[in-house]
Structures are given as C-alpha cells and as structure tokens.
Amino acid sequence: MTGSTMTAIKHALQRDIFTPNDERLLGIVNVCKAGKKKKNCFLCATVTTERPVQVKVVKVKKSDKGDFYKRQQTWELRDLTVVDAKDASKENPEFDLHFEKVYKWLASSTAEKNSFISCIWKLNQRYLRKKLEFVNVSSQLLEELPKAEESVPSGESQSVAGGDEDALEEYQELSAREEQDIEGMMEMCEYAVSNAEAFAEKLFKELQVLDGANIQSIMASEKQVNILMKLLDDALAEVDTIEGKLSSYEEMLQSVKDQMDQISQSNRLIQISSTNNGKLLDEIQFLVNYMDLSKGHIRALQEGDLTSPRGIEACISASEALLQCMNVALRPGHDQLSAVTQQQKLFSELRDTFARRLTNHLNNVFVHQGHDQSSTLSQNSAELTLPKHSPLHRDLLRYAKLMEWLKNTQREKYEGLSRTYVDYMNRLYEREIKDFFEIAKIKMAGTSKEAKGKFATLPRKESALKQETESLHGSSGKLTGSTSSLNKLTVQGSNSRRSQSSSLLDMGNMSASDLDVADRTKFDKIFEQVLGELEPLCLAEQDFISKFFKLQQHQTVLPPLAQPETEDTDGSIPSRMPPQADHRHSLSSEKDMVRLMMNKIFQSIEPELNSLIALGDKIDSFHSLYMLVKMSHHVWTAENVDPASFLSTTLGNVLVTVKRNFDKCISGQIKQMEEVKISKKSKVGILPFVTRFEEFAELAETIFRNAERRGDLDKAYVKLIRAVFMNVEKVASESQKTPRDVVMMENFHHIFSTLSRLKISCLDAERREAKHKYTDHLQSYVINSLGQPLEKLNHFFEGVESRVALGVREEEVSYHLAFNKQELRKVIKEYPGKEVKKGLDNLYKKVDKHLCEEESLLQVVWHSMQDEFIRQYKHFEGLIGRCYPGSGITMEFTIQDILEYFSSIAQSH
C-alpha cells in the first residue's frame, strides 16, 4: 500500500471515526490475522483530547457494504503487557500483542510494523511510563525521548520541543479557538477568500510592522534591564553571604549532631547495661529463691529428731523443701554455673543422708514394734480375739509424708523398707492368726482334750481339702451364695425323729446325741466371731498400707516384695519367683500392689480358715449350711467395698471350699437314701431319710430365713426331694411286711405336711405331687382293703355287671340261673349285720397293724373306708332295685347300722 493511500486512509479515519469521539490518531498499520484468510483491517494508536489522556489501540475494519470504516474492537494501552516483533535482525511483518490474550498479526509491510511499534513505545514513555516488555525489537526503534519532552506533564496535549510532535504526526488539526481567530481575520478582509495572495501579502506587512514595534520596545527598555541586572547582582551577593552563614550554621549543627550521636550511643549502652543488670538480678533472685535451703532445714535433715512429733514435723518440712529445690526447673545455662553445681551436690548429699537416717529409724521402729506386739500375745490367749494394731499404725502414720518423699527420691530404699515391713508383719500376723485359730478350734470342739482327739484325725482330711482349694486359687469366676445374716437356730423336734436321723448327722464319725441346737448355735457364734475378727483386721491393715506407702493413685512399678508367689507341685512350700521375672511385671495398678502386699502379710489366713472349715464339717456336716450363709454374706460385703481387694479374694476362695462341703453334705444324704435298708419283720412306717429331709429343711429354712440369695439351697432342695421321691417308691416296692400303698401313703403324707408347713416356694410342684401320690395310694389302699369283708357279695354283683355289660337288660338278669333271686338271697344271708361288724372289726385291727402311730393316719383311713363302704352299699342297693324290681330283697343291715358299726369299732380301740 502506497504512502499517499495510507495518508488518505489516515485522514478519513481521523475524520469519520476518531474526531467524533474526541480522539487523535497517532499511528496506523494495515494488518490481517496471521495464519488465516486475509481480511485486511487497521490497528490504530490513539489518544484522547481531554484530560486525563487515555491511550488506546483500536481495530478498524472496512464495511463489506460500502466504503466507510467502523470500529470493531478497542484495547487500553495500559492493558498491554508484551509486544513481540518475532525477529529483530530480519525483516518479518509478523508481530504479537499480549493483552488479556495473545493476538497474532501480519502487517502489510515490515516498515509499517516498525513504525507502529515505535509509536506504541513513544506513547508508553510519554503518557503511561509503565513496564511494557518489547521482545525481538531493534534498539534503534526504542529511542529515549529528549529531556525537555520528559519534563512535560503527561496530561498536556501541546507540542513539545525537539520536533518529536512533528515526527509523531504528519497532520495536526486546528483547534476551535484557532479556527475562530482565522475566521475573524478573514471577515475583516473582504478579499481574503477571493484573493488569497493579496491577503497573505497584507498579513506579511502587518507582521513586519509588529516585529519593528517589538524591536523598538526592547531597545527602549534597556535602561530598566540594566537596573534589573544590577539588582540581580546585588541579590546574588546577598545570597552568597546568606549561604556563608548557613554553611557556618551547618557546621555548628553538624558538631551538635555528632555530640548528640555520642550521647545517644552512651545512653543506649547505659540502657543495655541496666537491662543486663536487671536480668542478672532476676537470675540471682531465682537461684536464691528456689535453690537455697535454710540452715534450719539442713540441720533437720542431718540430725533432726525422728522420734518426737515436733522433730518429725521439722523433718517433713525440710524434706519437702529439699525436694522442691531439687525439682526446680533450671533455665538454660544454669547447670554450667559452679554455684549451682555445688548446691545440687549439697542437695544430693542431704538427700542421701536423710534417706539413710530415715530408713534406719523406720527399720528399728518395725523391729521394736513387732517385738512389743508379740510380747502381748500371751495376754489374749484365752479370748477369741485378735490383737489390735491401731497403736502401731497410729505411730507409723506420722511418717507417711516422709515415706512419700522417700518413694519419690530414693526408690530402692523405699522398696527395702516395704520389704522389711512386710517380712516383720508376716511373722507377727502368722503367730497371732495361728494362736487365734487354735483357740477357735478348741472352743469349737468343746474342750481341749476333745479337740486333741479330733485334731488327731484331721490332717488327712485337711490335706485333701487344701489340694482342692489350691486348685481354685487365681480363679476369677463369681461365687454364689446367700447374703443374709444368720439367725439363731430354734428348730424343735421329737426325740424319736432325732434318733432316726442320727445316721445322717454322724457324718464325722461322732455320736448324734452330742449334737443339738445349742451345739450348732455355739458353732455359728464361733464362726461369725472368727470372721468378725478377721475382717476389721484385714481392712485396717489394708487401709494403713495404702496410707503409709502412698499406694492409692498413680501407676507404679511392682516392688520386689509384692511379686506373686508360685507353689510347688505338692502344694506345700511357696517359693518366690526368680528375679528375672520381675521385668515381666512392668506396670500394675497400685491397688494390685496393695493386694499383693496383703497376700504376703496374711498368707496364713486362707489355710487356717480352710482348716477351721474342715473341722466344723467333720464335727457336723450340717455346719456347712451355717458357713455357706456366713461366708456368702461376708464375701458380698467385701465385694461391695472393693471387688479386687485381698479380703474379697481370700473370702471368695474360702467360699468355694464351703460350697464344696455343702455339696458334699447333700451328696452324702442322697447316698444314704440309696443305701437305706428296711427290716423284714417290722412295719416300715416313716422312712428315716424322709425324717432327715424334714430336719434338713427345717434347719435350712431357719438359717436361710432372711437370705437374699438362695440359689444353692434351692438346687439342693430339688436334688434331695427327687431322691426322696425315688427312694420312697423303691422301698415301697421292696416292702414285704407293710403293703406298698401304706408305705407310699404314709411317707408322701409326711412329705406333703412338711412342705406345706415350711412353705418352700421352689418345691411347690413337689408339694402338689406328694399330695397327689398320697391321695391316690390312700384310695387304692381303702378299695383293696374293703374288698375282703363283703367278698362274696362283691363277686356276685361283679357278675351281674358283667352280664349287663354283655348286653343283657338289667330287668332280665334275674332270669339267669346263676343270678336269680334265690342266689341273691343266699348271698345276702351270708352277711348279716353281726358278721359285717365282725369283719369290719378285723379290718380295723389289720389296718392298725399296717399303719404307724407317728403319722396318725388311722382315723383318716378308717373314715375313708366308711365312705367307701357306704358308697359300695348304695351301689349294691341300686343294682338290686334295677335288676330285681319288685322282689322286695334288701340288705340285712342299713346305712345307719354301718355308721354305728364304724363308730363303735373306732371308739372301742
């Protein structure tokens, strides 16, 4: 595209597009989009004529329907970030403009591209001064603007020095004011339009006149100029004088400034020194306040009196102060101070010295207190009481805080003291408990001589019992049992029943005559007294250990003395676990530690309790009921306080032994039932094991009257009653002297009466069953017995009923030869009233021989026989009336006669 064409397009664009929008066109380039079909358009660089000046890049496109141009897209020059000319050394018409995105253009010529890029660079330098990146652009195109131009404000639109404006634009449009002035001059001259040369000549002449006037005016003002120059020279001289004074003032101020700087530096150093002194004072005060131990405390630690209350309080205060000093958190660098090191060394020496003094003193206290306590044992030898250790505990608890200090500072000495205490108390309690149980055994057996005889036969049983109980050690299962308090036994029974139950009571090869209610009550009181003495003793010792050794809260390592013990295979001698096993017991709760210490101290309680229980069971197997209730109650009480305590565990283990003895007692009774033998020559009566069950139930209900947990007893009841039922039937079947119905009737009546009287809820079904069996066998016995007095009459009417059953009409039975009226009269004549009464009298005597006196069932059976006899009489009368109507045949005795017979026979006997 030629230069004239481009100039014409530029003028057209200025006129049609930019002038209406108050914009000036400063640069233009003919371009098309790179890589696409060529659609020519123009990129124009413009500025606004109004302030503030805005610089834009406008894309102008020629309309397809005409020769006019239109704006297609506009960008602000401040949004332009990069101008990429593609190649600075070779001619390349392509270039990129980076606005919000990259626009790739292809100019019509490289010259137009370079001219446009140069225009953009100049506009940026003049109006925006922003950091715009020009890539691959020749440095010749990016020339610096002249100094004079740089001083012009960016908002001015006037021309600038150096001719840059002429170079920037070839055409400059007249402003509105210039147009008005030209129009005014042309209106003053009539031929300004018709004769331009004359108008120009006129203007030239006027310009010359104005120049001459200006020269004359300048020459006329030369004198004033000289005066002005002289004034300026004087002003300059005065300025020099003032500058000299200012220089001297400046030198003085500089000196003052230097002095002030020195003062400021001195003040800063003084402030730093003061700050350092303050920090040093804080550190010294910190060390003095937290690492200084008073002389009184040092003296108390070194030689304080550990026997008097005042001396103990002084030692406690001193030890707490020492511990606080040793545990103070030192600040960084303190450990490098020699004074701090010396003080720490002093603290360590004081700690070791006091720990040694305290350990030796407490060891002596343990030994002396143990000897003093053992010397008083003989005073309580006759009483069933355990010595109280509250004075010892009260004296030692004064050292509780010192023990806590020892635990936190000298763990080894603390464990050594714990071991010493446990060893001494173990020996002391072992002697006391052994003597205590010996007294209990003597009182339980009645006399010391009798006790010796019983103890002589005890070891074999105790050995077996010990092996059983040792197999249960460590069991964590829950133990069942009653939790009621034991009431005194008030069972009353006849001498005959007691003699019948002697074989059951003689479980320990002792005579049953020696055992009565008073004996069992005595045993109950002794056993309760033993448990009542042991419980407070164990609880007081456990409470003391927790307080004295401070074992209530934190997790601690198990001390050597509290390691579990293992038993040899023969269950005889306990041995301590090897030291290597200590490491396997890493951490345990302090409750476990207390319990293990208690196990060591009271290791003799459980064997002694088992021995006492074995003796009580040997004396009377029924003692297991008392022991079951008592032990269950004490176990329940101990578990409510602390389920994992030593007392709870020990009593639980002993409860297992008691429960075993109770089960053995039940099994022994069942075995005796199975082995019972009856006499073939005498009547059976109430079986011995039925009487024993009654005695057992009465005793158990008295003992378990207020029991909250009767599970064991209810299970035992069910086992016993089923065995009783089974063996009653067995004996009744084997009985030769007494009819089976009588044995069943009497014994089940006795069982029913016992269960009804005792009201045992778990045996309600068995009570109903016993009543049913008693009723059935009573009816059976009555029917079988009554068949004999009227035997022929019974046979006759049985024949009549058989004919009727075969289909013979009742009124036709009399026509049969064997059952005619004559035969009936013959049979009736054989049973006159006198013979009937004689037969009934013989029957009464026979029944009296069958029944025993204890159950008093004779009148009941006799009354039932009367009812059954009358029922049979009415039945016979009814058959006579139906089968022999109008015959006038009747029995030779009436119902009234029957009642008189039965009444007179009963009264006569």
Side-chain angles (χ1 to χ4, degrees), residues 337-399:
L337 298 175
S338 59
V340 173
T341 305
Q342 292 176 2
Q343 199 74 353
Q344 289 178 335
K345 183 178 179 181
L346 173 62
F347 294 157
S348 299
E349 293 176 353
L350 289 173
R351 177 196 62 194
D352 297 340
T353 301
F354 183 68
R356 187 165 52 252
R357 291 181 60 241
L358 178 62
T359 304
N360 294 336
H361 177 74
L362 289 178
N363 274 327
N364 294 332
V365 171
F366 295 158
V367 174
H368 293 156
Q369 290 288 353
H371 289 317
D372 294 342
Q373 191 75 18
S374 61
S375 63
T376 61
L377 289 178
S378 58
Q379 300 175 3
N380 299 324
S381 59
E383 298 294 332
L384 190 59
T385 56
L386 282 167
K388 306 301 180 184
H389 294 261
S390 53
L392 170 62
H393 294 167
R394 184 172 57 251
D395 292 341
L396 290 178
L397 281 177
R398 298 182 301 169
Y399 303 96

Side-chain angles (χ1 to χ4, degrees), residues 33 73 111 141 155 193 215 227 267 274 282 286 296 337 339 377 391 421 451 462 471 555 573 649 696 711 780 864 875:
K33 289 187 178 180
Q73 195 170 359
L141 297 177
V193 177
I215 292 171
I227 296 171
N267 287 338
S274 177
D282 290 342
F286 172 80
L337 298 175
L377 289 178
Y421 176 80
E462 284 186 32
S471 65
Q555 298 284 325
I573 302 176
T649 305
F696 173 84
S780 175
S864 298
H875 178 65

Side-chain angles (χ1 to χ4, degrees), residues 90-295:
K90 298 181 180 180
E91 292 187 359
N92 187 352
E94 295 183 2
F95 67 98
D96 296 342
L97 299 180
H98 294 237
F99 288 101
E100 74 280 358
K101 65 178 183 178
V102 179
Y103 294 91
K104 299 181 180 294
W105 304 104
L106 178 64
S108 59
S109 65
T110 304
E112 285 187 16
K113 180 190 81 170
N114 293 339
S115 175
F116 184 74
I117 290 174
S118 177
C119 180
I120 288 177
W121 182 81
K122 291 178 180 179
L123 289 174
N124 178 64
Q125 291 295 108
R126 180 172 182 179
Y127 294 106
L128 300 180
R129 296 283 186 179
K130 66 171 285 189
K131 186 178 182 181
L132 182 59
E133 186 177 359
F134 290 86
V135 182
N136 299 321
V137 178
S138 174
S139 59
Q140 297 176 358
L141 297 177
L142 308 179
E143 297 177 353
E144 293 290 338
L145 293 176
K147 298 293 183 180
E149 184 178 330
E150 290 180 1
S151 63
V152 178
S154 61
E156 297 293 337
S157 62
Q158 288 89 356
S159 60
V160 297
D164 283 342
E165 184 68 22
D166 295 337
L168 189 63
E169 56 180 348
E170 298 176 1
Y171 171 77
Q172 181 67 267
E173 186 179 6
L174 295 176
S175 63
R177 185 171 180 178
E178 290 173 344
E179 288 180 358
Q180 291 177 2
D181 292 341
I182 293 175
E183 287 177 358
M185 291 176 62
M186 293 177 69
E187 288 175 357
M188 293 173 61
C189 184
E190 296 179 356
Y191 52 83
V193 177
S194 60
N195 191 353
E197 293 180 357
F199 180 64
E201 182 67 24
K202 180 181 177 183
L203 292 176
F204 181 72
K205 290 179 179 180
E206 290 178 356
L207 181 60
Q208 287 180 345
V209 172
L210 291 174
D211 288 340
N214 286 335
I215 292 171
Q216 290 178 1
S217 175
I218 291 172
M219 292 177 65
S221 61
E222 182 177 2
K223 184 177 179 181
Q224 285 81 4
V225 171
N226 291 333
I227 296 171
L228 179 60
M229 292 301 291
K230 185 177 183 304
L231 290 173
L232 289 175
D233 291 338
D234 294 339
L236 289 174
E238 189 65 25
V239 168
D240 291 338
T241 304
I242 293 173
E243 285 182 353
K245 291 182 179 181
L246 289 176
S247 298
S248 63
Y249 294 155
E250 185 177 1
E251 292 177 358
M252 295 173 64
L253 289 175
Q254 185 64 35
S255 175
V256 173
K257 179 179 177 299
D258 294 340
Q259 294 177 6
M260 292 301 296
D261 290 341
Q262 292 178 0
I263 293 173
S264 176
Q265 181 68 15
S266 299
N267 287 338
R268 188 172 64 84
L269 294 176
I270 292 172
Q271 186 177 1
I272 292 174
S273 176
S274 177
T275 303
N276 291 337
N277 289 334
K279 291 182 178 180
L280 179 59
L281 181 59
D282 290 342
E283 297 295 331
I284 294 174
Q285 288 179 346
F286 172 80
L287 294 176
V288 170
N289 291 337
Y290 294 102
M291 292 200 68
D292 184 32
L293 199 62
S294 67
K295 293 181 179 179

Side-chain angles (χ1 to χ4, degrees), residues 300-316:
L301 293 172
Q302 290 178 341
E303 52 188 27
D305 185 9
L306 289 172
T307 58
S308 64
R310 182 176 298 179
I312 294 173
E313 288 296 329
C315 291
I316 291 174

